Amino acid sequence: MSKEQDGDSAQGRASRRVSIRQVAERAGVSSATVSRVLTGSANVRGSVRDRVLAAMQELNYRPNRLAQSLRRQHAQMIGIVVSDIENPHFTEMVRAVEDGAFRRGFRVLLCNTDEDPEKQAAYLQMLEAERVVGVIVSPCASGSEEVSALIDSGIDVVAFDRVVEDPRADAVLANNFDAAQLATNHLIEQGHTRIGLVGGSVEVATGAERLRGYQAAMASAGLEPLAADGGFRIEGGELATGALLRAYPRPSAIVVANNLMTIGTLRALRAASIAVRTEMALVAIDDPFWADLVEPPITALAQPVREMAESALTLLFERIENNRTEPKRISFDFQLTVRQSSHSLARAR
Amino acid sequence: MSKEQDGDSAQGRASRRVSIRQVAERAGVSSATVSRVLTGSANVRGSVRDRVLAAMQELNYRPNRLAQSLRRQHAQMIGIVVSDIENPHFTEMVRAVEDGAFRRGFRVLLCNTDEDPEKQAAYLQMLEAERVVGVIVSPCASGSEEVSALIDSGIDVVAFDRVVEDPRADAVLANNFDAAQLATNHLIEQGHTRIGLVGGSVEVATGAERLRGYQAAMASAGLEPLAADGGFRIEGGELATGALLRAYPRPSAIVVANNLMTIGTLRALRAASIAVRTEMALVAIDDPFWADLVEPPITALAQPVREMAESALTLLFERIENNRTEPKRISFDFQLTVRQSSHSLARAR
DNA sequence: CTGAAAGCGCTTACAG
DNA sequence: CTGAAAGCGCTTACAG
């Protein structure tokens, strides 16, 4: 009822938005004062403040972020650029980033690139036009130009998973080389000698590093490497696994370089009626939630994605709020969880 | 090199942004004209247009979305409000929405509510302040006030999965009653008579509808219903399954009302050393990508999430671009995929 | 087809 | 502590 009494009651679609000005009028102060109580930046006399607050309430005032942002020269937003949010690795990362951003009063603009350099470029430029304060990006090949433009224009960027060329950016990385080496060594310790790799794209840094870690482990054990490229995707993993199965002698164990390809590998194995564990040992890099749901549960190397995401946010806000400028790079270790898919060859017999 | 020649070469962090004004000066036209070539809204003489374009190029001009949006009174953005993007159902939905929004030149603001009414309220108000053009929301209990405020202020909303109270909103729904009924009937046809339900929260419409569908199927077969509330979450599903297992006589089949709870059910069954299929038949509502990865593969009812998301976008843009005002409501059927987890009782013996 | 001018709704030195 | 005023970078009637 009280709502309806207001002179210019706001109902229906085309209702006039109430701005700082009408609040000021009703409270009998200047719009500058209203703005001051809004931002809490300057001191305002208690009684005046109360009048303003009351006026806001009565008029159902909502600040206009667009105006605030234009005035402040940036939006209270960060951009997240990932290749595909349907990859559980990024789903988790995005979830953690969203959470931390919300707590800090920032919104999140979601950008999927599909590993497409053009889409990435479009999104990066868009983020610049949108004047976000920062972006967390897991860059696909190239795109270094747009990243530099972003930084040039004063937007902070932290690279996630993969480095960007611009040395001014921060980076949160995982020790991919170590992970692949660890995975491979684990299988070697179980007595395997014919160990294949379903690897990711070597054009992507993570793919190349995981390949090298695998190769290093094989080399120092005096074993012959056997790698196929699965391009980090489900179908690729399926095809790559098929290729490994056709090798002679057929490997007795496989390291799979990410969670998506692991799905492909499981499919290929099922299609070929090859039993995981008894006929083919498996270690997966990435430890998605379904790794212990499948039968047998999969031995996996987990990245501390949540921690990594929080670290990325921390890095970002150190720049935004504390004006840090010297770039930082943080690396995280994977953690091996041994489940049933990687067995000792001895015991399997 | 040519970049460096510009009088006020823009380098380093604090570089002055180039605006429409400097472009206008360099091209020897008014800023109005620059704006016109920018928007493409009005005709501009060819030669003038070329001069402007050239000036933009030379100065590396980037339009300021913040200013555009303030002037136009809305941001080229839509908001997506879901309970949790880590639920594969929403992951897929968000992915599809992002895709369609990008194609239409819109950005996506991601909002996770965690089913928390306060967080949802905060996000809904934020979306209003941000002046997005529309929001797709899978609302948690309540929140109807903020939704109405959104619509009052001219922002279009379409409800996803669950209806909102405000009759002005569009809705994209799934036939939850039918799905649960179908799932239950499938198990009845296999000869099961003791069929439990791991249900979702009844405060949520989808939870209540799925429960009713289950109850209807049981009733018309003259069977006694046995339902436990799993709250649509993994742990809840685990607990609810535990409760069903303690019932006497123990059910020989379970319908699980969403994908998260199915994970919980699988865990509970494993913990109790009860074999899926031979000792406990299973039908899951939702068909996540891992449903055919587990052993045995799970019989599941899939929602056409992608289609539903596209439908939601279509609805939204009908309002935004074609000014449709009468509300629409679209329903989608689930599709049953029979896999190995639901067996005929006869054959199992 | 083009320009001068007003204005979107805020914030923030600058005075007092 | 408070107000008048300028300005963030655009767009869009209004004239011509």
Side-chain angles (χ1 to χ4, degrees):
Chain A
M1 216 223 277
S2 65
K3 262 190 200 163
E4 298 305 314
Q5 292 175 347
D6 303 346
D8 48 0
S9 134
Q11 42 192 339
R13 289 190 117 241
S15 74
R16 308 222 62 221
R17 318 282 319 222
V18 6
S19 79
I20 227 179
R21 272 196 45 182
Q22 12 274 11
V23 175
E25 266 171 36
R26 176 175 268 256
V29 297
S30 74
S31 60
T33 298
V34 176
S35 174
R36 286 189 188 105
V37 346
L38 211 54
T39 60
S41 57
N43 280 344
V44 176
R45 186 149 45 106
S47 61
V48 174
R49 169 187 210 77
D50 291 344
R51 281 216 315 280
V52 171
L53 257 15
M56 286 180 175
Q57 192 87 56
E58 287 159 14
L59 298 174
N60 192 28
Y61 168 74
R62 303 290 167 127
N64 185 328
R65 282 267 174 209
L66 261 19
Q68 285 182 332
S69 298
L70 173 60
R71 193 41 236 253
R72 292 177 175 159
Q73 301 278 39
H74 66 258
Q76 287 272 100
M77 274 182 205
I78 67 173
I80 309 185
V81 183
V82 296
S83 58
D84 183 7
I85 200 192
E86 281 202 80
N87 179 336
H89 175 69
F90 289 123
T91 311
E92 192 176 346
M93 175 269 212
V94 168
R95 185 59 179 88
V97 170
E98 191 268 350
D99 218 49
F102 179 79
R103 277 198 310 269
R104 292 172 167 91
F106 284 74
R107 347 244 160 277
V108 163
L109 229 34
L110 179 64
C111 311
N112 270 125
T113 65
D114 298 317
E115 305 279 5
D116 172 355
E118 292 196 13
K119 202 172 172 194
Q120 175 173 291
Y123 260 134
L124 256 18
Q125 284 174 217
M126 177 276 268
L127 255 10
E128 187 184 345
E130 215 69 59
R131 265 56 165 178
V132 300
V133 291
V135 356
I136 298 178
V137 54
S138 183
C140 68
S142 88
S144 57
E145 212 168 289
E146 288 81 16
V147 167
S148 290
L150 229 39
I151 300 180
D152 283 342
S153 77
I155 294 172
D156 297 312
V157 355
V158 5
F160 192 87
D161 278 348
R162 315 171 184 170
V163 297
V164 300
E165 281 181 30
D166 199 301
R168 295 169 294 174
D170 294 326
V172 173
L173 305 169
N175 294 321
N176 296 294
F177 180 95
D178 295 358
Q181 194 175 34
L182 187 59
T184 311
N185 281 337
H186 171 68
L187 288 167
I188 292 172
E189 283 162 20
Q190 306 302 308
H192 291 279
T193 54
R194 301 185 310 282
I195 303 172
L197 173 77
V198 173
S201 330
V202 288
E203 299 93 60
V204 181
T206 49
E209 289 161 17
R210 289 172 192 182
L211 173 62
R212 280 204 303 277
Y214 160 79
Q215 288 169 331
M218 293 299 275
S220 62
L223 300 174
E224 203 62 37
L226 174 63
D229 184 346
F232 280 141
R233 307 203 58 83
I234 296 180
E235 306 73 35
E238 198 165 351
L239 292 174
T241 303
L244 293 184
L245 295 182
R246 264 174 264 115
Y248 186 81
R250 191 222 264 173
S252 66
I254 295 180
V255 173
V256 192
N258 91 336
N259 74 76
L260 256 22
M261 295 192 298
T262 302
I263 297 176
T265 296
L266 291 175
R267 289 201 179 139
L269 257 21
R270 175 176 298 176
S273 296
I274 295 175
V276 176
R277 183 175 63 181
T278 49
E279 298 178 276
M280 182 68 73
L282 227 54
V283 176
I285 295 185
D286 283 347
D287 189 18
F289 66 90
W290 49 263
D292 72 340
L293 229 59
V294 299
E295 194 51 46
I298 309 251
T299 294
L301 282 142
Q303 300 185 51
V305 182
R306 214 139 210 128
E307 267 179 78
M308 288 170 67
E310 266 149 32
S311 170
L313 267 181
T314 302
L315 250 27
L316 200 54
F317 282 94
E318 278 177 18
R319 302 193 94 117
I320 294 170
E321 288 164 359
N322 309 339
N323 302 312
R324 175 171 60 78
T325 57
E326 74 292 355
K328 276 194 195 174
R329 174 175 295 211
I330 302 182
S331 289
F332 286 83
D333 283 327
F334 285 72
Q335 195 186 334
L336 176 67
T337 302
V338 178
R339 300 200 183 91
Q340 297 169 34
S341 70
S342 64
H343 67 295
S344 148
L345 251 197
R347 264 184 278 143
R349 295 289 145 81
Chain B
M1 215 223 276
S2 65
K3 261 189 200 164
E4 298 305 314
Q5 292 175 347
D6 303 345
D8 48 0
S9 134
Q11 42 191 341
R13 291 190 114 240
S15 74
R16 307 222 63 225
R17 321 280 319 222
V18 4
S19 79
I20 226 180
R21 274 196 45 180
Q22 12 274 9
V23 175
E25 265 171 35
R26 177 174 266 255
V29 298
S30 74
S31 59
T33 297
V34 176
S35 174
R36 287 190 187 103
V37 346
L38 211 54
T39 60
S41 57
N43 282 341
V44 176
R45 186 148 46 107
S47 61
V48 175
R49 171 188 208 76
D50 292 343
R51 281 216 314 281
V52 172
L53 257 13
M56 285 180 176
Q57 191 88 55
E58 289 159 15
L59 297 175
N60 191 29
Y61 168 75
R62 303 290 167 127
N64 184 329
R65 282 267 174 211
L66 262 18
Q68 284 182 333
S69 298
L70 174 60
R71 193 41 236 252
R72 292 177 175 158
Q73 301 277 39
H74 65 259
Q76 287 272 99
M77 276 182 204
I78 66 173
I80 309 185
V81 183
V82 295
S83 58
D84 184 6
I85 201 192
E86 281 201 80
N87 179 335
H89 174 69
F90 290 122
T91 310
E92 192 176 347
M93 175 269 212
V94 168
R95 185 59 179 88
V97 169
E98 191 268 352
D99 217 48
F102 180 80
R103 279 198 309 271
R104 293 172 166 92
F106 284 74
R107 349 244 159 277
V108 163
L109 228 35
L110 179 65
C111 311
N112 270 125
T113 65
D114 297 318
E115 305 280 5
D116 171 356
E118 292 196 14
K119 201 171 173 196
Q120 174 171 292
Y123 260 134
L124 255 19
Q125 284 175 215
M126 176 275 268
L127 254 12
E128 187 184 343
E130 214 69 60
R131 264 57 165 178
V132 299
V133 292
V135 357
I136 298 178
V137 54
S138 182
C140 67
S142 87
S144 57
E145 213 168 290
E146 289 80 16
V147 167
S148 290
L150 229 39
I151 300 179
D152 282 343
S153 78
I155 294 172
D156 297 311
V157 357
V158 4
F160 192 87
D161 278 350
R162 314 171 184 171
V163 297
V164 300
E165 281 181 30
D166 199 300
R168 295 169 294 175
D170 294 327
V172 173
L173 305 170
N175 294 322
N176 296 293
F177 180 96
D178 295 358
Q181 196 175 34
L182 187 59
T184 311
N185 281 336
H186 171 68
L187 288 166
I188 292 173
E189 283 161 20
Q190 306 303 309
H192 293 278
T193 54
R194 300 185 311 281
I195 304 171
L197 173 77
V198 173
S201 330
V202 288
E203 299 92 62
V204 180
T206 49
E209 289 161 16
R210 289 173 192 182
L211 173 61
R212 281 203 304 276
Y214 160 79
Q215 288 169 329
M218 293 298 274
S220 61
L223 300 175
E224 203 62 39
L226 174 63
D229 184 345
F232 280 141
R233 309 204 57 85
I234 296 180
E235 306 72 34
E238 197 165 352
L239 292 174
T241 304
L244 294 184
L245 295 182
R246 263 175 265 115
Y248 186 79
R250 192 220 263 173
S252 66
I254 295 180
V255 173
V256 193
N258 90 336
N259 75 76
L260 255 22
M261 294 191 298
T262 302
I263 296 175
T265 296
L266 291 175
R267 289 202 179 139
L269 258 22
R270 175 175 296 176
S273 296
I274 296 175
V276 176
R277 184 173 63 179
T278 49
E279 299 178 276
M280 182 68 73
L282 229 52
V283 176
I285 295 186
D286 283 347
D287 189 17
F289 66 91
W290 50 262
D292 72 340
L293 229 60
V294 299
E295 194 49 48
I298 309 252
T299 293
L301 282 143
Q303 301 185 51
V305 183
R306 214 140 210 127
E307 268 179 77
M308 288 170 67
E310 266 149 32
S311 171
L313 267 180
T314 303
L315 250 27
L316 200 54
F317 282 93
E318 278 177 18
R319 302 193 94 118
I320 295 170
E321 287 163 359
N322 309 339
N323 301 311
R324 174 172 60 79
T325 57
E326 74 294 354
K328 276 194 196 173
R329 173 175 295 210
I330 303 182
S331 288
F332 286 84
D333 283 327
F334 285 72
Q335 196 185 333
L336 177 67
T337 301
V338 177
R339 298 199 183 91
Q340 297 168 34
S341 70
S342 64
H343 68 295
S344 149
L345 250 197
R347 265 183 278 143
R349 293 292 144 77

